Amino acid sequence: MLALTAVSGHSAYYFLKELEKAGYTGKIRGIKRMTSKISHLSDLKLDIEYVDAEYDDHDSMVKALNGVDTLLHIAPNTLSHKVCDAAIDAGVDWMISIQTTGKFSKFKSAAELYLKVDDELLSKKDRIKLTVLYPTMIYGSMMDKNISKLIGFIDTHRVFPVFGKGHNLMRPVAGSDLAKAYLQILNQPDVTQNKEYVLSGEEPTRYIDILKEVAKNLHKRVWFVMIPLNLSIFLAKIYNLVFRKALISVEQVQRMQEDKAYDHDDATRDFGYNPMTFEEGIKIQVEEYLRKKKEKK
């Protein structure tokens, strides 16, 4: 049996749709928190059952994973080592864990937790088959937690603050491309087990060009104001003190200054990973945003 965590989320939805498209007939167990909503999954033509569990509760996760052969752990990545312990005790044969490229950050404060979690996770590979994936910033749907916020802000504001010069390189990856990669990995266990892969977008893109591409697809004229880095960090600290649901953290401001254009050559070589360009992906996402905006009127 195949199981996946965070079944209510953006990446899981795309993956389940990919399984549906491929005519997958095996049993699936979707693991979620009790408060998670799954109404958007009701029309899926898959043999799927939903189970509530708490990812940091060992007994809860062992029970949820009973009878599972392969686990796709999508989130939360900071608890992956604990989920792995539960998977081992439940007799899971293979765990595919989605981690974060945050571990590659040059900022110690940003990378420290992720490095520690990954080290703990990878230390268990002698007890379970393990494939670890590092997606870059995920986008492609208004369910994401990244570009969707940018789209909404750019659509409703004439001025957009850019922390630093905006010349740092990024390779955002579409959720639909991740879903295809997950299926490719599952279908080629002899090649992909006990490996680590970065899953990034088709090519590096400057942050400022990402913003401009969003504005272009929205047909908006936006003034992008460059704010010096030191001032940006200070303002981010004040912003986070004032607003409980701040859209950006100090760590994000810091990480915006470094290149995150990690290549996916290993994934392409091993299982044929071939992501779309950002221009293609953002056009699809903005069209979804505009369609939903029109429906609300």
Side-chain angles (χ1 to χ4, degrees), residues 143-160:
M143 290 175 64
D144 78 39
K145 298 177 181 179
N146 302 301
I147 298 295
S148 59
K149 293 179 181 179
L150 288 178
I151 293 173
F153 192 93
I154 290 174
D155 185 44
T156 54
H157 295 75
R158 301 296 295 273
V159 177
F160 190 100

Side-chain angles (χ1 to χ4, degrees), residues 196-216:
E196 298 175 52
Y197 298 103
V198 170
L199 300 178
S200 55
E202 196 269 342
E203 61 185 359
T205 306
R206 296 192 311 172
Y207 176 61
I208 187 63
D209 293 328
I210 286 174
L211 299 178
K212 289 179 178 178
E213 194 67 27
V214 171
K216 183 181 80 173

Side-chain angles (χ1 to χ4, degrees), residues 102-119 251:
K103 70 175 287 184
F104 305 128
S105 175
K106 66 182 181 182
F107 293 99
K108 184 178 180 180
S109 60
E112 189 172 17
L113 172 61
Y114 306 131
L115 284 168
K116 181 180 179 182
V117 168
D118 278 18
D119 285 346
E251 177 187 317

Side-chain angles (χ1 to χ4, degrees), residues 11-231:
S11 294
Y13 174 75
Y14 272 118
F15 174 61
L16 292 170
K17 292 294 288 185
E18 198 66 28
L19 288 179
E20 183 181 55
K21 189 190 303 182
Y24 187 82
T25 58
K27 290 185 178 296
I28 304 169
R29 185 172 296 159
I31 303 172
K32 65 181 186 68
R33 288 194 171 100
M34 188 178 296
T35 56
S36 298
K37 297 178 181 179
I38 55 172
S39 58
H40 60 292
L41 305 177
S42 60
D43 294 332
L44 288 170
K45 296 178 178 61
L46 293 168
D47 185 2
I48 183 168
E49 62 174 340
Y50 299 100
V51 175
D52 293 335
E54 291 299 324
Y55 304 121
D56 58 351
D57 184 293
H58 186 79
D59 292 341
S60 172
M61 283 302 300
V62 170
K63 183 178 179 181
L65 293 171
N66 183 43
V68 169
D69 302 307
T70 302
L71 168 63
L72 175 62
H73 175 56
I74 297 177
N77 56 60
T78 53
L79 295 175
S80 58
H81 57 303
K82 293 186 177 182
V83 172
C84 190
D85 283 334
I88 291 169
D89 287 350
V92 174
D93 181 60
W94 181 19
M95 176 174 170
I96 304 167
S97 189
I98 317 303
Q99 300 302 106
T100 173
T101 55
K103 70 175 287 184
F104 305 128
S105 175
K106 66 182 181 182
F107 293 99
K108 184 178 180 180
S109 60
E112 189 172 17
L113 172 61
Y114 306 131
L115 284 168
K116 181 180 179 182
V117 168
D118 278 18
D119 285 346
E120 288 192 54
L121 175 64
L122 291 168
S123 71
K124 306 175 193 301
K125 60 184 178 182
D126 60 334
R127 290 183 287 159
I128 188 172
K129 294 168 187 171
L130 193 60
T131 301
V132 182
L133 309 178
Y134 299 98
T136 51
M137 183 172 66
I138 303 171
Y139 77 104
S141 161
M142 294 313 294
M143 290 175 64
D144 78 39
K145 298 177 181 179
N146 302 301
I147 298 295
S148 59
K149 293 179 181 179
L150 288 178
I151 293 173
F153 192 93
I154 290 174
D155 185 44
T156 54
H157 295 75
R158 301 296 295 273
V159 177
F160 190 100
V162 177
F163 306 114
K165 295 181 180 180
H167 290 176
N168 52 302
L169 295 173
M170 306 176 72
R171 288 178 88 158
V173 58
S176 55
D177 283 330
L178 290 182
K180 293 174 184 176
Y182 300 161
L183 186 55
Q184 288 173 314
I185 289 166
L186 284 169
N187 288 338
Q188 301 177 66
D190 292 344
V191 176
T192 61
Q193 285 179 347
N194 300 314
K195 296 280 189 68
E196 298 175 52
Y197 298 103
V198 170
L199 300 178
S200 55
E202 196 269 342
E203 61 185 359
T205 306
R206 296 192 311 172
Y207 176 61
I208 187 63
D209 293 328
I210 286 174
L211 299 178
K212 289 179 178 178
E213 194 67 27
V214 171
K216 183 181 80 173
N217 280 276
L218 285 168
H219 308 292
K220 293 283 186 177
R221 296 186 65 180
V222 180
W223 183 33
F224 296 105
V225 180
M226 313 299 179
I227 304 174
L229 178 58
N230 289 337
L231 179 58

